[in-house]
Amino acid sequence: MKNIYQPIKAEVVNITDESSNIKTFTLKPSEKFSFVTGQFIEFSLNGIGESPFTPSSSPYKTETIDVTIMRAGYVTEKIHQLKKGDIVGIRGPYGKGYPIEEMVDKEVLILGGGVGMAPLRSFLLTLVKQIDKFKKVTLCYGSKSPEDIIYKSEFEDWKKIKKLDILRSVDKCPEGVWKESVGVVTCLLDKVKVDLKNSVAIVCGPPIMMKFGTKKLLEVGFSPKNIYLSMEKNMSCGLGKCGHCQLGPYFVCKDGPVFLYDKIKDLEELWD
Amino acid sequence: MENRYINNQNWQNFLLSQIGKYDVFSLFSQDDADYNYSRLTTQNLNTSLIGKYRSTIPLKSFFFSSIEKIVPLSSKKQRIIIGVKACELAHLQLLDNMFLGGEYRDPVYEEARKNTLIISADCTSCKNSCFCSIIEGLPYPTSGFDINLRPIQNGFVVEILSEKGRKLIDNNKWLFQDTIQNHLDESERNRTEVNELVLKVNKDFKFAKLLNEVVKPPKADLWKEVAKECVECGGCRFACSTCYCFLIGETKNFEKYRFWDACQFKGYARVAGGSNPRSTKEKRYRNFYSCKMNYRKENFGSYACTGCGRCIEVCPAEIDIRKVLTRLSE
Ligand SMILES: Cc1cc2nc3c(=O)[nH]c(=O)nc-3n(C[C@H](O)[C@H](O)[C@H](O)COP(=O)(O)OP(=O)(O)OC[C@H]3O[C@@H](n4cnc5c(N)ncnc54)[C@H](O)[C@@H]3O)c2cc1C
Ligand code: SF4
Ligand code: SF4
Ligand code: FES
């Protein structure tokens, strides 16, 4: 019988420091492993525990996968101590990813904050690979300070891509260091021009940013039917059995993590 | 449904012949009023019982134990569980939905289920906490068993539902006889009597027809008051066979275990950074009613409460789900 809880082994082949508390780990799975952008994996550390993370690499890259992880507690602290060559476990991919087909011939507005840029990098790389299929892609990304920006060097390459606009903001920074916007990420939405009738918005970031980001998108005129959110809940099994990720009648691990806002907007617990 | 008759003496012989072939679990009297499952042996055979009503320990323990290894898998021995009651068969149906439904089948649960033959029995009485008959149930099994026993004087009417059950009976043909109409009439009378008893015990409780609707409005004050006495021991959730929540833990060599967990515990839904979607006792308490009456009804078509009353008996704060459902229904 197939054991759904059995991870496959993966070797840590590269580690990139992204910021003071975020690292990207490049893993080489011992067996074929593929995913749809927006799906997540359970990452297990032998004898320590498991945690869910969304691959941040392009799904078109199949030899290795990247996961970008913020140090936030017990398991992530230990993950940050990993070294090249260490063996970890992964299982998945789980959940529903971004519905790319729904976005064809539309403008795509991406709103991201902090480590929420991890899944969005994978998503962005997916769009970029087939950029002609979309009217326009706009990335609005906010971080605490210029040092907290992740994928620093990659932004330089992304800026050169046609049909892709990038706007960035930092919450605060000393005078003169930062030439782009200052303020919470939602302020960038005042600067972008979108064709509301033909746009979708994708939001991923810390809970507070998701809440205010969604509010702002609605204010600007987005329909709840055109906003996708990546919900974060406590997870254990990742595949719809253990109950931990319950959000109203849904399980975020299997019915999400990407949800159409319209589907969940009336849930009482939504922003709790 | 096909049926047979077996007298008490032959029933004992039947049980004896199964010991060794299967791990057989039967009910035994725990103290004056309660029953519990134990392994049947040649020594304790003569004290084994069918039980007037359900056991104290929830049936889920057989299929989803309080702590069990999930990686790597191990195989389980063939077993027979005897004396399972109607409310527990309904529990099992609800667990099947969770563990075997959807995209993934849980291999640990599936293995345990596959290797178990269930011999259920009609209730011949009820506890003060029993309320199956007022929450879409009945005190006798109608589905979900392999074999069902309907106790009558000096023996049982034996109902055969599954192929597995039929094989077991066929292998021991000589112990069984044809049923006669008198047996069935007697058994029907018992069923009616016990159902009336359950209704009588619960005459003070009035539930709304649609419990899924009555749990929807926020009613913050009501939940605050109900949860006030709750000491968050999680006993009610652990005693409940429709509660399936678990947490996975790791040991060496990528071995994994799972433990029962419960939405009543404060840390259950906490995420990194410390934010907690169900930070208060009343939110957690309400969630369990929403899960049982509303979400599970929406996802699987039935309430995840079968009226077994275990949560009522186990609660040190004496919170009675029937009182809460009655208040919600007002
Ligand atoms: C679908 C999904 C995708 C995610 N993707 C990323 C990502 O790409 N990068 C990233 O840095 N973070 C991501 N997270 C958040 C990440 O899973 C948590 O930061 C991590 O689980 C925290 O674990 P910890 O043991 O270090 O924290 P602690 O606070 O010490 O956690 C203790 C326990 O609580 C549970 N827990 C706490 N927070 C979470 C949580 N948010 N989700 C699930 N379980 C939790 C864990 O089971 C853990 O055992 C994602 C979360 C989800 C649900
Ligand atoms: S709740 Fe009903 S089925 Fe369960 S033991 Fe009590 S009387 Fe029997
Ligand atoms: S909620 Fe209580 S009465 Fe209902 S099935 Fe669970 S333990 Fe039994
Ligand atoms: S994480 Fe276990 S059900 Fe979603």
Side-chain angles (χ1 to χ4, degrees), chain B residues 215-281:
Chain B
V215 296
K216 280 179 192 167
K219 300 186 184 167
D221 292 343
L222 185 150
W223 289 113
K224 222 181 191 131
E225 209 185 303
V226 170
K228 196 174 68 200
E229 304 292 329
C230 166
V231 296
E232 303 179 64
C233 65
C236 59
R237 305 303 88 231
F238 288 170
C240 180
S241 267
T242 78
C243 280
Y244 57 81
C245 286
F246 62 84
L247 184 69
I248 300 175
E250 308 259 323
T251 59
K252 293 189 299 289
N253 304 323
F254 289 98
E255 281 184 5
K256 291 186 202 298
Y257 286 78
R258 71 166 156 217
F259 314 78
W260 288 351
D261 201 353
C263 62
Q264 294 304 91
F265 296 139
K266 190 163 188 177
Y268 177 85
R270 188 189 68 83
V271 297
S275 79
N276 190 343
R278 291 185 215 109
S279 52
T280 63
K281 200 158 71 167

Side-chain angles (χ1 to χ4, degrees), chain B residues 1-6 148-150 152 156-160 166 169-170 173 175-180 183-184:
Chain B
M1 205 177 315
E2 202 187 327
N3 58 47
R4 291 277 185 285
Y5 170 76
I6 190 165
N148 182 49
L149 303 176
R150 300 171 61 161
I152 53 176
F156 304 100
V157 172
V158 181
E159 293 178 306
I160 308 161
R166 164 182 316 286
I169 303 287
D170 283 352
K173 279 211 251 322
L175 298 172
F176 297 85
Q177 291 159 264
D178 285 342
T179 334
I180 56 168
H183 294 148
L184 291 172

Side-chain angles (χ1 to χ4, degrees), chain A residues 206-219:
Chain A
I208 188 86
M209 177 246 146
M210 301 269 286
K211 179 176 174 178
F212 288 102
T214 307
K215 241 175 109 181
K216 181 82 188 189
L217 286 168
L218 294 168
E219 271 166 37

